[in-house]
Amino acid sequence: MQTILLLVIATSSFIAFKTFLPKKALEQKEVASENVVIDSLLLKAIDDEKNNELVDEKDSLIKKIITFTPNKDNGVKYVSEYFDDYKGYQHIVPFYEKLQMLETTKNGNIRIAYFGDSMNDGDMIVQDVRKLFQEQFAGQGVGFVNITSESAASRATVSHEFSNNWKTQTYLKTKKPIREFGVNGHVFFANDTVHPTWVKFRANNYKFATQLNNPTLYYGSSSNKNAMISYVIGKDTIYKKLNTDKKLNTLKLADNVKNLKVNFINAKDIPFYGFNFDDGKGVHIDNFSNRGNSGLPIATFDLSLMNEFNKVMDYDLIILHYGTNVLNYGSYDYSWYEKRMTKVVNHVKKCFPNATVLVVSTADKSTKYDLEMKTDSAVLPLVVAQKKYAVKSEAAFVNLYELMGGNGSMVEWVESQPAKANKDYTHFNYTGSKEVAQLIFNQINEGFLTFKKMNTKFILPKRKKDSVIIKKDSTND
C-alpha cells in the first residue's frame, strides 16, 4: 500500500513539475545517422546570424502578387501567382521548351543535376524521379557517380566498390582544397604509389540501368604525364594513357558493359571527379547528394571549372533540394539562410548558364512536444524562407511540405501501413521516397502540360536525312 501511495505522489509531482518545463524539454533526442556531418558554412552562417529576430510575416514579398514576363522566344506567359501558391513555372520555360522538342521528335537529350542532402542518400527519391522521366521521355543510365561514396552500399541503381586508399576532399569539410571541387562537390586523389588504387562498378537489374552505358572518366589537369588506367573488357586487358592537358578531361572507356573495374597507375596528383554512365538519348539525372549539406557549400564552386563541366554535361535543369540540416538551430528566423541561398542560386546560374533552377523545399519533420509528435515549429518558417529565395532568384518552387500533407503529415507517413518514413520522423524510407518522387515529378509535369497548351509557336523541325539536330538556346539565363 505504501509503495502505491509513493508512486501516486511521484506521478502527481512529475505532472505538476512538467507544466513549468519548456515544451521540448521532454523531447527524445534524435539518433544521429552514422557519418552525418554538418557543413562548416552552415555553422558559420548560424553563428553570424544568431541574434536575428523572428520571421516578419508582414514581409512585403509575402503579400505581393508575383507577375511574369513573356518568354522572348515563344511568348509563353504563365498567370500571376500569390506568394502562398507560388510555383514559378515561368522560370523553367527553356527546360519545358526542350522537353517538348524531345517528346515530339524522340531525338536529343536533356540533363538534370539533382543536388541534395541525406534525403537523397543512396539515390533515394532521385532514382525514382529519374525513372519517371525516362519512362516518359526515354533514356538509359544512372548518370554521374563519384569515385568513392559513403552511401555506395545502400545504392540500388548501381553496385559501387573502391579501394580504401583514395584521398577524398569534400566541400562540406574542406575550405581550401588541393584542387577545385568537381560538380559533385568532391575531388579525389590516387596518391598511394605502394598499394593498388581502383574503383569497380556493376550494373544491377534496375529499370533503365541494366548496363553501364558509355562509361566515361572525368578528371582534371596535372603536370603528371605518365598516368594510365587499366581495365578488362571481355578477355582483353586495356591500358589507356591519361591526357591531363585540359582543365577538365574526359576519357570514354567502352560502349555498354555490365561490369567495370578500373585500376589507376602512376596517377599521383591528378584530381579525379567520377564516372558518367548514360546512353546520350532521352533524359539523364545526376544525383549529387551529400549528407549534412545545407546547400550553402555550392557557393564555393569554382566558376571556370563548372563552366567546363557545363560544356560537357550541358545541364538543362538544376534541382536544389535542401532543408533537413537547417532546422532546429534555436531560431525561427531564416532570413540569413534566405540571403545566402539567393546568392547560391545566382551562382548556380553563372556556373551552368544554359540551365534553369528548381528549388524543392524541406519536407515535414516531427518533434516531440508534451509527449506528442507534432510538426516542428521551425518547418514552416524555413519553407517560407526557401520560397522567398526561389522568388527572388527567379527559380521554380516545389513546396514538398504542402505536397506531402502539410502540418502533421510526417507523423501520418511514419504511422501509415505500410510506413512511408523512418522512426526519426525526418527521413523517408523506400516506399515514401518513391511517393515523394512522384509528387515532385507530377508538379514538374503539371507545368509542362500547361506550357504545351500555351506554346502556340511550336513548330516541328524539318528532318534532314532522318535526323534532327536540336540546338540549345544559350541565352536563357
Side-chain angles (χ1 to χ4, degrees):
M1 186 68 180
Q2 185 176 6
T3 302
I4 296 175
L5 181 62
L6 290 174
L7 181 61
V8 171
I9 294 174
T11 303
S12 301
S13 300
F14 173 76
I15 294 173
F17 179 67
K18 183 172 76 73
T19 60
F20 298 100
L21 292 175
K23 288 186 176 182
K24 284 191 180 182
L26 299 173
E27 175 185 351
Q28 291 181 353
K29 291 186 178 180
E30 183 176 321
V31 179
S33 300
E34 186 179 356
N35 295 327
V36 170
V37 296
I38 302 298
D39 66 72
S40 59
L41 286 180
L42 173 62
L43 298 178
K44 184 179 186 304
I46 292 169
D47 186 59
D48 290 344
E49 302 292 337
K50 61 184 177 181
N51 295 319
N52 281 357
E53 297 178 357
L54 295 179
V55 172
D56 183 8
E57 293 298 338
K58 297 180 181 180
D59 190 301
S60 59
L61 183 60
I62 294 178
K63 293 185 175 183
K64 182 180 179 182
I65 295 177
I66 302 160
T67 59
F68 303 108
T69 302
N71 181 269
K72 59 183 175 58
D73 293 324
N74 49 39
V76 169
K77 179 184 177 182
Y78 285 83
V79 298
S80 301
E81 296 180 297
Y82 287 99
F83 180 82
D84 284 348
D85 302 317
Y86 176 76
K87 294 184 175 69
Y89 294 135
Q90 186 72 47
H91 301 307
I92 56 174
V93 163
F95 168 70
Y96 285 151
E97 191 173 30
K98 192 171 182 187
L99 202 60
Q100 184 179 21
M101 188 73 74
L102 175 62
E103 180 183 60
T104 305
T105 65
K106 311 301 181 186
N107 282 277
N109 63 86
I110 286 176
R111 196 167 201 98
I112 300 171
Y114 200 120
F115 290 89
D117 51 29
S118 56
M119 286 292 189
N120 313 119
D121 202 38
D123 215 17
M124 293 181 73
I125 298 177
V126 182
Q127 65 187 16
D128 294 302
V129 173
R130 183 188 300 116
K131 184 167 66 173
L132 289 167
F133 268 102
Q134 292 180 337
E135 283 176 342
Q136 185 165 332
F137 302 100
Q140 299 277 340
V142 298
F144 198 94
V145 183
N146 289 357
I147 294 291
T148 75
S149 171
E150 61 189 357
S151 61
S154 62
R155 182 164 183 167
T157 47
V158 65
S159 293
H160 182 194
E161 298 177 63
F162 42 85
S163 58
N164 60 9
N165 55 344
W166 282 97
K167 178 178 177 60
T168 303
Q169 292 190 315
T170 169
Y171 63 1
L172 267 70
K173 299 180 180 180
T174 309
K175 292 182 178 180
K176 295 181 179 180
I178 300 172
R179 295 292 298 275
E180 302 94 335
F181 299 118
V183 67
N184 51 359
H186 291 72
V187 59
F188 306 90
F189 297 93
N191 287 349
D192 190 340
T193 57
V194 177
H195 304 94
T197 307
W198 54 269
V199 60
K200 181 165 62 174
F201 302 97
R202 187 184 77 252
N204 296 328
N205 292 322
Y206 201 85
K207 192 173 183 180
F208 306 119
T210 57
Q211 296 186 88
L212 302 175
N213 307 93
N214 300 312
T216 303
L217 174 65
Y218 283 65
Y219 59 101
S221 62
S222 174
S223 58
N224 182 352
K225 306 302 178 184
N226 299 316
M228 301 180 69
I229 59 170
S230 70
Y231 54 99
V232 175
I233 299 294
K235 296 182 179 180
D236 299 323
T237 300
I238 299 172
Y239 291 85
K240 286 192 176 181
K241 184 177 180 180
L242 296 179
N243 186 337
T244 58
D245 293 338
K246 297 180 181 179
K247 192 173 187 68
L248 178 65
N249 303 278
T250 63
L251 179 62
K252 180 179 174 180
L253 278 59
D255 292 326
N256 299 331
V257 295
K258 187 72 175 181
N259 301 280
L260 181 68
K261 181 180 180 180
V262 182
N263 299 294
F264 293 77
I265 306 166
N266 299 324
K268 182 178 173 62
D269 299 328
I270 298 176
F272 292 99
Y273 302 116
F275 286 82
N276 180 57
F277 307 102
D278 73 64
D279 67 345
K281 304 173 184 177
V283 177
H284 304 102
I285 304 181
D286 301 325
N287 180 3
F288 298 132
S289 63
N290 291 272
R291 298 177 187 174
N293 198 352
S294 67
L296 298 179
I298 293 177
T300 65
F301 274 156
D302 179 77
L303 185 59
S304 61
L305 180 57
M306 290 307 106
N307 288 168
E308 292 302 313
F309 267 102
N310 189 63
K311 289 178 183 177
V312 181
M313 311 298 270
D314 198 18
Y315 287 112
D316 298 285
L317 180 68
I318 307 295
I319 298 178
L320 303 176
H321 185 173
Y322 295 106
T324 305
N325 301 290
V326 190
L327 293 165
N328 294 333
Y329 282 93
S331 172
Y332 301 142
D333 178 8
Y334 289 100
S335 59
W336 55 273
Y337 186 63
E338 171 201 331
K339 294 174 184 176
R340 285 165 172 79
M341 283 302 291
T342 299
K343 294 179 180 179
V344 165
V345 176
N346 290 331
H347 185 59
V348 164
K349 290 183 176 181
K350 292 178 181 178
C351 289
F352 312 105
N354 296 330
T356 55
V357 179
L358 171 69
V359 173
V360 178
S361 82
T362 185
D364 187 32
K365 170 187 167 71
S366 295
T367 300
K368 187 167 285 187
Y369 295 93
D370 291 334
L371 303 180
E372 183 179 357
M373 297 301 295
K374 299 179 181 179
T375 289
D376 193 286
S377 53
V379 170
L380 190 54
L382 177 57
V383 172
V384 171
Q386 291 178 308
K387 191 183 298 184
K388 283 183 180 180
Y389 71 70
V391 172
K392 290 181 177 180
S393 60
E394 296 188 342
F397 183 72
V398 172
N399 191 334
L400 182 55
Y401 166 72
E402 289 292 344
L403 287 181
M404 64 180 292
N407 185 44
S409 55
M410 182 54 78
V411 173
E412 295 178 3
W413 283 52
V414 171
E415 296 178 354
S416 68
Q417 295 295 329
K420 296 186 286 187
N422 299 327
K423 290 294 186 180
D424 64 358
Y425 290 84
T426 301
H427 295 89
F428 302 106
N429 57 23
Y430 283 103
T431 300
S433 293
K434 187 175 182 178
E435 185 168 333
V436 168
Q438 187 72 64
L439 293 171
I440 294 171
F441 177 81
N442 286 349
Q443 182 168 321
I444 296 173
N445 196 50
E446 174 190 73
F448 178 52
L449 294 175
T450 303
F451 168 80
K452 289 193 291 184
K453 292 178 182 178
M454 294 191 292
N455 189 19
T456 58
K457 294 184 179 181
F458 176 73
I459 300 175
L460 183 65
K462 294 181 180 179
R463 289 185 176 272
K464 183 179 180 181
K465 294 183 179 179
D466 296 323
S467 66
V468 175
I469 299 175
I470 301 174
K471 293 186 177 180
K472 189 177 187 61
D473 179 4
S474 60
T475 61
N476 56 27
D477 184 13

